[in-house]
C-alpha cells in the first residue's frame, strides 16, 4: 500500500531529543526497480526546531549576541543607550546634517505651522473649547513629541477625532447649572470635566504602553480606518454645515447624531445668515483650486489656509463685518492662555467611559498613522513607546488646562510632502504656533466662524478620496470592501467611538470567517516543467490522469477541518466513486487535452508521439472524460502554505488517509515544512497511518504515485491498449525495449513479437526481466 512503513525504513534517521524518530522527507528522484527491495538514494531529516539554523533563527541569534555584547560594555554605555531610547531627540539631534536637512525642515515646518494655526482653531471650535486652547494643545504636543517621538514625519496636535469626542462628553453639561461641590462658574465646571477626561485618557494610554497592549493595533485593518475616517468626515461636514449657514441650532452627539443635527438644520432653515453663507462659499471657492494645485505638484507649496485666515482678518478689521453684516466671529471665547488646573477625583467615575473612548480612538488613529508613515519611509517604529508618548502628552495637557490631542493626518501629509527630513520641522511649526499665541489677543478674535468651517471642509476631501480608493476601487476583495462599508455606516449611525468599536469587532469576525473557510485549489502540471499551479491561473496547466493534487492556503486546525471535509466531498470524493463522469458536456476534455493528459501520465513508459497518437483504441481515450478528473487513484495534499497543524487537524488527516485507503486510493502529503512535520509526528500521524515519510515537493509525490501505479498495473495491461506502428500490432502481451539518453531524447525500438510459452512469464516478472527501465529524472 502507498506509504507503507515496510517500503521505507527509517534506518538512517536522526533520533529526536524526545526519544522517537522524526519522519523523513523524501527528496530523491532516482529509484531502481530491478531488485525486490526498493533502494532509497537519499533522505533529508527533519531537524528539531531549536536545532535548526534558518533565516528567522539567525536573526534572533544576532539579536541575542548583540544584547550579550552590550551587557559586557561599561554601565555608562548602557545608561546612555537607555537615555537615548527614552529621549530619541538626543539620538538624532547631535547627528543633524545642517547643510542637507535644514532647508527641507525649514520649508516643511513653515508649511505645517501655517496649516496648524487654522486647523487648531477650527478643531477647538468643534470641541466647544476656546480656539486658543487648540493652538496651545498643538504647541505643547508638538514640542513634547519632538523630544519623545520615534518617527520623523508624524505631527501631533488638536484633531477632529478628539474634538468630536470631547464635544460629545460635555454635551450633557447644562450651562445654567452649578456643580454641587464647588462654587466655581458653569464654565469652570466644563473645564474641570474636560481636564479630568484628558487626565484619565492619558493614564489609560500610559498603562497600555507599559503593559505592551500596543499589539492591539494589528486588529485595526486599513479598510476599517478608512471607513472610520470617512464617517468622521461626514460628522464634521454636517456639523460645519450649520456653522457655514450661521445656524445656532442644538448640536447632537452620539447615536443618530447625524439625523438629529440635519433635522435641526432643516427646522432652523429660516434663520440662515446670508453673510455667513457668502463668506463660506467664497472661502471654499478660494481654497479648492489651490488645494488641487498642491495635490498635482505633490508639494504643499502654497499655505492657502493661512492666507485665507489672514485675508479674513484684514477684511473683518477694515470692513467691520460683524457690526455691518452681522457676520459671526470667534470673539465670544476668551483669548487668554488656559490656567493650570488639577483634575477632580470626584469626576473620574463620570468620565471613565468617555476617557476610554478618547484613549482608544487616539491610539487607533495615531498608531495607524505612525505605522503607515514608518513603513513608507522604511524607518523604525516603536508602538509601545509611541503609546506612552501619547499618554504623557494627554497627562501634561490635562494639568495645563486644555484638552487631549492625537495624530493629525492633514499636518502629517504636509510635513511629509514639503521636504521634511527630521522632527526639527515640528520645532519650526511650534515656533509659528507660539507666535500666533502671542498675537492671539489682538488678531484671532477677528476670524469669522464661516472661514474656519470652510477650511476644515476643504480638507475633508482627502478622507473621502481615500475611502473611495481603498474600498470602492478595490471592491473585488469583498472582505475589505464589506469591512470598510460596515465601519463607515456604524460611525455614521452610532457615533465615532461606538462605530470604531463595531468596525474592529466586525473585521475580527470577518477574519475568523476567512480562517474557517480557507482557500483550497486543485493544481495542474505545467508541461515540461516541475511546476504545479492553479488550473484557473495558468491555462497550460493540465491535471494528470488519476492524480488529484489539492492545495490548502491556510493552516489545518479545529476551526476549518469541517470545511476541508465538505470541500473534499464536493470536489474530490464524489469523483472517486462515480468514476469522474459527472461533468456536463461543456466541461469535457477535448481530444487534444486528452492526448496531453495521456502524455503526462504515460511518458515515463517512454512511448513516442506516434505511439501515443494511436492510443485511441484504449478505453481511457475513447471515454468522455470530465474536466474534474478521470478515475482517481492518488490524492496529493500540498501543505506548502500550511503553517501549523493542531490535534484536530492531524486527526482530520488521519481520517482522510483511512477513508481513501479503504477504497484503494493513495493519500500523500507534500511540501510540508519542518514545523508541520514535527507537529504531525507529535500527534502520532505517521504511526496511525503507517507512513514513515513525506515528500519535499509535489513533483516527487507525483513521480512516486505514477511509479506505484506502474508497479500495480504492470505497464498498460489494465487499459487493454492496442498500439499500431508501421503496420505492426503490439498487444498487451508483447514486450517493449526502451532506451533513454542523457539529453532527454528517447530512442524506442519495438522488440519482436514472441509467441511462445514464456509470454506469461514476461508479463508477471516485469522487473526481473528488466524489459523496461523507468527514468524519473526525464519523466515530467
Amino acid at each position: 500500500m502507498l506509504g507503507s512503513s515496510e517500503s521505507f525504513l527509517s534506518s538512517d534517521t536522526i533520533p529526536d531529543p524526545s526519544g522517537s524518530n522524526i519522519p523523513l522527507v523524501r527528496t530523491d528522484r532516482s529509484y531502481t526497480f530491478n531488485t525486490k527491495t526498493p533502494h532509497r538514494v537519499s533522505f533529508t531529516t527533519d531537524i528539531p526546531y531549536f536545532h535548526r539554523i534558518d533565516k528567522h533563527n539567525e536573526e534572533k541569534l544576532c539579536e541575542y549576541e548583540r544584547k550579550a555584547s552590550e551587557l559586557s560594555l561599561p554601565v555608562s554605555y548602557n545608561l546612555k543607550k537607555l537615555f537615548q531610547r527614552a529621549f530619541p531627540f538626543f539620538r538624532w539631534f547631535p547627528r543633524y546634517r545642517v547643510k542637507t536637512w535644514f532647508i527641507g525642515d525649514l520649508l516643511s515646518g513653515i508649511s505645517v505651522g501655517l496649516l496648524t494655526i487654522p486647523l487648531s482653531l477650527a478643531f477647538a471650535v468643534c470641541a466647544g473649547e476656546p480656539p486658543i486652547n487648540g493652538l496651545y494643545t498643538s504647541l505643547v504636543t508638538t514640542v513634547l513629541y519632538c523630544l519623545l517621538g520615534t518617527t520623523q514625519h508624524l505631527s501631533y496636535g488638536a484633531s477632529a477625532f478628539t474634538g468630536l469626542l470631547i464635544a460629545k462628553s460635555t454635551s450633557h453639561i447644562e450651562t445654567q447649572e452649578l456643580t454641587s461641590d464647588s462654587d466655581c462658574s458653569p464654565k469652570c465646571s466644563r473645564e474641570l470635566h474636560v481636564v479630568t477626561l484628558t487626565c484619565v485618557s492619558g493614564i489609560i494610554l500610559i498603562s497600555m504602553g507599559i503593559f505592551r497592549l500596543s499589539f492591539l493595533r494589528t486588529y485595526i485593518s486599513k479598510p476599517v480606518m478608512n471607513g472610520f475616517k470617512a464617517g468622521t468626515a461626514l460628522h464634521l461636514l454636517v456639523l460645519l454645515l450649520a456653522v457655514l449657514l450661521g445656524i445656532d441650532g442644538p448640536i447632537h452627539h452620539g447615536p443618530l447624531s447625524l439625523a438629529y443635527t440635519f433635522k435641526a438644520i432643516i427646522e432652523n432653515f429660516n434663520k440662515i445668515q446670508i453673510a455667513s453663507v457668502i463668506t463660506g462659499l467664497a472661502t471654499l471657492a478660494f481654497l479648492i483650486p489651490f488645494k488641487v494645485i498642491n495635490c498635482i505638484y505633490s508639494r504643499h507649496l502654497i499655505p492657502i489656509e493661512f492666507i485665507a485666515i489672514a485675508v479674513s482678518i484684514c477684511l473683518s478689521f477694515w470692513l467691520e463685518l460683524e457690526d455691518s453684516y452681522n457676520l459671526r466671529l470667534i470673539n465670544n471665547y476668551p483669548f487668554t492662555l488656559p490656567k493650570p488646573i488639577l483634575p477632580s477625583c470626584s469626576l473620574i467615575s463620570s468620565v471613565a467611559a468617555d476617557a476610554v473612548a478618547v484613549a482608544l480612538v487616539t491610539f487607533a488613529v495615531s498608531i495607524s498613522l505612525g505605522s503607515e508613515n514608518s513603513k513608507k519611509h522604511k524607518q523604525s517604529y516603536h508602538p509601545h513607546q509611541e503609546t506612552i508618548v501619547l499618554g504623557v502628552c494627554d497627562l501634561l495637557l490635562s494639568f495645563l488646562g486644555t484638552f487631549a490631542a492625537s495624530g493629525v493626518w492633514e499636518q502629517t501629509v504636509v510635513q511629509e510632502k514639503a521636504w521634511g527630513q527630521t522632527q526639527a520641522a515640528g520645532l519650526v511649526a511650534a515656533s509659528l504656533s507660539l507666535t500666533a499665541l502671542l498675537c492671539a489677543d489682538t488678531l484671532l478674535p477677528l476670524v469669522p466662524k464661516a472661514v474656519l468651517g470652510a477650511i476644515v471642509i476643504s480638507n475633508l476631501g482627502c478622507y473621502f478620496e481615500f475611502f473611495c480608493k481603498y474600498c470602492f476601487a478595490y471592491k473585488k476583495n469583498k472582505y475589505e470592501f464589506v469591512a470598510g462599508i460596515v465601519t463607515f455606516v456604524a460611525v455614521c449611525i452610532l457615533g465615532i467611538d461606538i462605530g470604531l468599536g463595531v468596525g474592529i469587532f466586525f473585521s475580527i469576525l470577518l477574519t475568523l470567517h476567512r480562517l474557517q473557510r480557507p482557500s483550497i485549489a486543485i493544481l495542474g502540471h505545467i508541461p515540461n516543467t516541475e511546476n504545479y499551479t492553479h488550473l484557473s491561473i495558468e491555462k497550460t496547466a493540465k491535471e494528470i490522469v488519476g492524480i488529484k493534487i489539492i492545495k490548502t492556503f491556510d493552516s489545518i486546525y479545529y476551526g476549518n477541518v469541517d470545511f476541508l471535509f465538505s470541500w473534499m466531498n464536493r470536489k474530490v470524493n464524489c469523483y472517486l466513486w462515480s468514476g469522474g463522469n459527472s461533468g456536463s458536456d461543456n466541461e469535457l476534455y477535448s481530444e487534444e487535452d486528452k492526448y496531453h493528459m495521456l502524455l503526462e501520465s504515460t511518458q515515463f513508459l517512454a512511448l513516442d508521439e506516434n505511439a501515443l497518437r494511436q492510443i485511441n483504441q484504449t478505453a481511457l481515450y475513447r471515454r468522455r472524460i470530465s474536466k474534474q478528473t478521470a478515475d482517481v487513484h492518488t490524492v496529493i495534499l500540498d501543505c506548502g502554505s500550511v503553517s501549523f497543524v493542531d490535534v484536530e487537524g492531524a486527526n482530520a488527516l488521519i481520517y482522510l488517509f483511512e477513508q481513501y485507503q479503504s477504497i484503494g486510493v493513495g493519500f500523500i502529503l507534500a511540501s510540508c515544512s519542518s514545523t508541520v512535520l514535527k507537529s504531525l509526528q507529535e500527534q502520532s500521524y505517521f504511526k496511525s497511518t503507517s507512513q514513515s515519510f513525506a515528500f519535499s515537493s509535489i513533483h516527487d509525490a507525483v513521480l512516486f504515485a505514477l511509479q506505484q501505479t506502474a508497479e500495480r498495473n504492470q505497464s498498460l495491461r489494465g487499459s487493454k491498449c492496442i498500439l499500431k506502428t508501421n503496420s505492426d500490432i503490439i498487444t498487451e502481451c508483447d514486450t517493449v525495449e526502451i532506451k533513454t539518453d542523457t539529453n532527454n531524447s528517447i530512442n524506442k525500438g519495438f522488440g519482436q513479437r514472441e509467441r511462445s510459452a514464456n509470454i506469461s512469464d514476461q508479463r508477471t516478472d516485469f522487473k526481473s526481466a528488466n524489459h523496461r527501465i523507468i527514468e524519473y529524472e526525464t519523466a515530467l
Side-chain angles (χ1 to χ4, degrees):
M1 186 56 199
L2 178 63
S4 60
S5 59
E6 292 80 9
S7 299
F8 298 93
L9 302 178
S10 56
S11 58
D12 56 349
T13 57
I14 296 179
D16 186 56
S18 60
S20 59
N21 291 331
I22 299 177
L24 300 177
V25 183
R26 188 156 194 165
T27 59
D28 56 312
R29 299 252 178 104
S30 290
Y31 309 98
T32 304
F33 301 101
N34 55 358
T35 58
K36 294 184 179 181
T37 304
H39 176 65
R40 173 167 40 83
V41 176
S42 63
F43 285 97
T44 59
T45 56
D46 179 60
I47 304 175
Y49 176 76
F50 293 102
H51 296 185
R52 285 187 295 121
I53 301 295
D54 56 12
K55 182 177 179 181
H56 178 68
N57 286 339
E58 185 177 357
E59 293 177 356
K60 291 177 65 176
L61 182 60
C62 293
E63 181 68 17
Y64 292 151
E65 290 179 351
R66 184 185 64 81
K67 292 182 178 180
S69 63
E70 289 182 357
L71 292 177
S72 61
L73 293 174
V75 178
S76 59
Y77 176 83
N78 293 326
L79 292 178
K80 180 181 177 181
K81 296 289 289 186
L82 181 62
F83 183 78
Q84 289 181 350
R85 183 172 181 179
F87 298 94
F89 173 82
F90 297 99
R91 184 170 53 196
W92 61 264
F93 184 75
R95 290 180 264 175
Y96 188 81
R97 302 176 185 175
V98 179
K99 295 181 179 180
T100 308
W101 296 342
F102 179 74
I103 299 298
D105 287 339
L106 180 62
L107 295 175
S108 177
I110 292 175
S111 300
V112 173
L114 296 180
L115 178 64
T116 301
I117 294 172
L119 288 182
S120 300
L121 297 175
F123 292 149
V125 171
C126 293
E129 293 292 304
I132 197 173
N133 284 17
L135 276 175
Y136 196 47
T137 298
S138 298
L139 171 63
V140 174
T141 307
T142 302
V143 174
L144 195 60
Y145 186 77
C146 288
L147 295 175
L148 304 177
T150 61
T151 58
Q152 300 178 2
H153 296 89
L154 189 59
S155 179
Y156 276 9
S159 68
F161 308 102
T162 56
L164 289 177
L165 290 175
I166 289 173
K168 173 190 173 183
S169 178
T170 58
S171 61
H172 67 279
I173 299 178
E174 298 293 337
T175 57
Q176 289 82 15
E177 291 183 358
L178 296 176
T179 55
S180 58
D181 59 346
S182 176
D183 295 333
C184 62
S185 62
K187 188 179 78 169
C188 178
S189 174
R190 179 188 177 89
E191 291 178 355
L192 193 62
H193 186 90
V194 173
V195 165
T196 306
L197 172 65
T198 305
C199 179
V200 177
S201 173
I203 294 174
I204 293 173
L205 288 171
I206 292 175
S207 302
M208 290 177 63
I210 292 175
F211 291 104
R212 305 289 182 176
L213 297 181
S214 301
F215 72 90
L216 296 174
R217 78 189 190 282
T218 57
Y219 298 101
I220 306 175
S221 62
K222 196 167 187 178
V224 169
M225 286 306 304
N226 289 328
F228 170 71
K229 292 177 181 179
T232 305
L234 189 59
H235 277 277
L236 282 173
L237 182 63
V238 174
L239 181 63
L240 295 173
L241 181 62
V243 176
L244 225 64
L245 298 176
I247 297 175
D248 290 333
I251 302 300
H252 299 275
H253 299 278
L256 300 177
S257 60
L258 284 178
Y260 290 131
T261 303
F262 195 73
K263 178 182 177 182
I265 292 175
I266 295 176
E267 291 176 350
N268 296 277
F269 201 74
N270 55 348
K271 299 180 181 179
I272 292 179
Q273 295 181 356
I274 303 300
S276 294
V277 175
I278 295 175
T279 303
L281 294 179
T283 306
L284 285 174
F286 178 70
L287 291 173
I288 291 176
F290 288 97
K291 298 288 290 184
V292 174
I293 292 174
N294 286 334
C295 293
I296 291 176
Y297 288 98
S298 301
R299 300 291 181 186
H300 197 275
L301 300 176
I302 306 175
I304 189 62
E305 290 86 0
F306 182 79
I307 294 175
I309 288 287
V311 171
S312 65
I313 290 175
C314 295
L315 293 178
S316 298
F317 179 74
W318 289 335
L319 301 179
E320 297 180 354
L321 297 178
E322 184 179 19
D323 297 333
S324 303
Y325 301 97
N326 197 21
L327 183 64
R328 296 181 181 274
L329 307 178
I330 60 174
N331 54 5
N332 56 337
Y333 295 99
F335 284 89
T336 57
L337 291 178
K339 297 180 181 179
I341 185 174
L342 291 177
S344 176
C345 295
S346 60
L347 295 176
I348 292 179
S349 58
S350 60
V351 303
D354 295 328
V356 172
V358 171
L360 293 181
V361 170
T362 302
F363 168 80
V365 173
S366 304
I367 298 299
S368 63
L369 186 60
S371 177
E372 180 179 352
N373 277 273
S374 62
K375 291 178 182 177
K376 184 185 301 182
H377 297 283
K378 298 179 181 180
Q379 300 170 352
S380 61
Y381 185 68
H382 306 283
H384 304 302
Q385 184 171 348
E386 289 287 322
T387 308
I388 295 176
V389 172
L390 276 173
V392 171
C393 290
D394 284 355
L395 197 62
L396 181 61
L397 290 172
S398 66
F399 288 105
L400 294 177
T402 183
F403 59 93
S406 71
V408 185
W409 189 86
E410 299 91 337
Q411 298 170 193
T412 301
V413 170
V414 172
Q415 182 172 341
E416 176 188 0
K417 288 184 176 181
W419 298 288
Q421 299 293 329
T422 64
Q423 295 167 355
L427 296 177
V428 177
S431 63
L432 293 180
S433 298
L434 179 60
T435 304
L437 282 175
L438 297 178
C439 303
D441 195 16
T442 57
L443 297 179
L444 293 185
L446 299 176
V447 179
K449 285 185 176 181
V451 174
L452 291 179
I455 289 174
V456 177
I457 291 175
S458 66
N459 284 278
L460 294 180
C462 56
Y463 292 118
F464 295 110
E465 176 188 357
F466 272 76
F467 179 63
C468 296
K469 178 180 179 181
Y470 288 103
C471 290
F472 289 102
Y474 297 108
K475 59 184 178 182
K476 292 183 180 179
N477 191 334
K478 60 181 180 180
Y479 292 103
E480 294 186 0
F481 175 74
V482 170
I485 292 296
V486 168
T487 306
F488 173 75
V489 173
V491 170
C492 293
I493 296 177
L494 304 176
I496 64 174
D497 50 352
I498 302 177
L500 178 61
V502 170
I504 295 174
F505 181 72
F506 184 78
S507 178
I508 294 175
L509 291 181
L510 279 181
T511 303
L512 294 176
H513 175 73
R514 297 176 69 176
L515 291 176
Q516 291 178 357
R517 299 176 62 86
S519 179
I520 306 176
I522 299 177
L523 305 185
H525 176 249
I526 301 177
N528 302 320
T529 68
E530 296 183 2
N531 301 327
Y532 296 80
T533 185
H534 199 298
L535 293 174
S536 62
I537 297 177
E538 181 61 44
K539 300 302 181 183
T540 60
K542 304 293 181 182
E543 284 192 83
I544 299 176
V545 177
I547 298 178
K548 203 74 168 177
I549 305 173
I550 310 299
K551 183 177 181 64
T552 176
F553 295 91
D554 203 350
S555 300
I556 304 175
Y557 67 106
Y558 70 94
N560 58 17
V561 291
D562 293 334
F563 179 80
L564 179 63
F565 284 148
S566 63
W567 193 93
M568 297 288 283
N569 288 328
R570 187 173 64 254
K571 299 291 185 179
V572 179
N573 295 354
C574 59
Y575 299 100
L576 299 180
W577 291 285
S578 64
N581 296 324
S582 61
S584 62
D585 291 340
N586 295 329
E587 297 178 348
L588 297 177
Y589 280 112
S590 64
E591 301 297 317
E592 190 69 20
D593 288 339
K594 288 189 287 185
Y595 164 70
H596 285 294
M597 292 165 59
L598 286 168
L599 177 64
E600 294 294 336
S601 59
T602 62
Q603 63 179 327
F604 66 92
L605 296 175
L607 299 176
D608 63 358
E609 182 175 350
N610 186 28
L612 285 172
R613 287 293 184 183
Q614 301 299 325
I615 305 182
N616 55 358
Q617 300 297 325
T618 63
L620 178 64
Y621 196 71
R622 293 197 310 268
R623 190 174 57 205
R624 293 158 58 88
I625 306 177
S626 171
K627 280 193 175 182
Q628 298 292 336
T629 188
D631 295 325
V632 176
H633 57 75
T634 304
V635 176
I636 299 175
L637 181 62
D638 179 18
C639 300
S641 299
V642 177
S643 58
F644 71 92
V645 178
D646 67 349
V647 178
E648 292 294 331
N651 292 334
L653 295 179
I654 293 173
Y655 173 78
L656 288 175
F657 178 87
E658 294 175 350
Q659 182 186 31
Y660 292 140
Q661 189 182 36
S662 63
I663 59 175
V665 177
F667 181 72
I668 306 176
L669 300 181
S671 302
C672 297
S673 64
S674 57
T675 305
V676 172
L677 284 175
K678 186 174 180 63
S679 300
L680 292 175
Q681 189 264 343
E682 291 174 350
Q683 305 302 332
S684 302
Y685 169 80
F686 296 95
K687 293 181 179 179
S688 301
T689 59
S690 300
Q691 283 187 333
S692 60
F693 65 92
F695 290 92
S696 61
S697 68
I698 304 176
H699 195 65
D700 293 328
V702 170
L703 295 178
F704 177 76
L706 295 176
Q707 169 253 317
Q708 291 290 94
T709 306
E711 287 182 351
R712 290 198 300 265
N713 294 337
Q714 294 286 326
S715 76
L716 296 177
R717 181 181 55 186
S719 301
K720 300 190 181 297
C721 174
I722 300 177
L723 301 180
K724 299 179 180 180
T725 305
N726 298 327
S727 69
D728 293 333
I729 301 178
I730 301 177
T731 63
E732 62 179 11
C733 300
D734 298 326
T735 61
V736 179
E737 181 180 357
I738 302 168
K739 299 179 181 179
T740 61
D741 56 12
T742 58
N743 295 324
N744 294 338
S745 62
I746 305 176
N747 300 321
K748 278 79 54 182
F750 291 96
Q752 300 295 329
R753 283 179 291 173
E754 301 176 0
R755 304 183 181 276
S756 57
N758 60 354
I759 293 179
S760 58
D761 296 333
Q762 293 174 354
R763 294 169 55 190
T764 56
D765 196 12
F766 170 71
K767 290 187 295 181
S768 61
N770 198 17
H771 290 146
R772 297 180 185 229
I773 302 174
I774 303 172
E775 186 64 45
Y776 282 94
E777 285 295 334
T778 60
L780 291 179

